[in-house]
Amino acid sequence: QVFLVETGGASVQAGESLSLSCAISGVNYSKYILGWIRQVPGKEREAVARVETDGQTTYGDSVKGRFTISLDKAKNILSLQMDSLEPDDTGLYRCQADEINNGGAWNGVRYTGRGTQVTVST
């Protein structure tokens, strides 16, 4: 069973930094793509960043150059370092694990944590 528990959310001022953590259990890192998404009421969920099984990282256009995703397999922690925060970064940040098949494609199995709230004010 996969469990994902996010921590680190807070209310901050624009321009400040924040680091989120996702404690991971039950994941075989060779079979899951891990990432962060964010949700705002009334808007579609947005993919923020992800890390592939080979370590390659991908970022959403709105956070490129400001956010950094990292995976510590020894500690089973997925982190998201967020710098130069903007009011549009406000949202519920959720950790996500997508299981892949032998070909590397998502097989439809997805686990998502409950999330941690980030609020950025001017």
Side-chain angles (χ1 to χ4, degrees):
Q1 184 72 8
V2 174
F3 290 100
L4 307 169
V5 180
E6 305 93 335
T7 56
S11 295
V12 298
Q13 297 289 317
E16 293 183 342
S17 298
L18 198 61
S19 182
L20 306 181
S21 294
C22 174
I24 303 167
S25 61
V27 166
N28 180 332
Y29 293 117
S30 66
K31 296 185 178 181
Y32 283 87
I33 295 173
L34 301 171
W36 290 91
I37 63 166
R38 66 186 178 195
Q39 292 180 277
V40 178
K43 295 185 179 180
E44 291 188 9
R45 67 170 54 185
E46 179 183 4
V48 175
R50 72 173 187 263
V51 55
E52 309 284 344
T53 55
D54 62 0
Q56 183 176 0
T57 57
T58 306
Y59 297 91
D61 288 341
S62 65
V63 306
K64 281 181 182 176
R66 299 187 299 120
F67 289 13
T68 304
I69 189 171
S70 60
L71 175 63
D72 187 330
K73 295 180 182 180
K75 296 182 179 179
N76 295 311
I77 297 288
L78 180 72
S79 299
L80 184 68
Q81 176 64 36
M82 306 185 293
D83 298 320
S84 302
L85 282 162
E86 304 169 353
D88 283 346
D89 294 321
T90 294
L92 182 67
Y93 283 71
R94 305 177 73 184
C95 183
Q96 189 164 276
D98 287 347
E99 188 175 5
I100 60 173
N101 58 28
N102 291 334
W106 179 41
N107 67 5
V109 175
R110 170 172 289 167
Y111 299 93
T112 308
R114 292 188 174 184
T116 186
Q117 179 68 33
V118 173
T119 303
V120 184
S121 57
T122 56

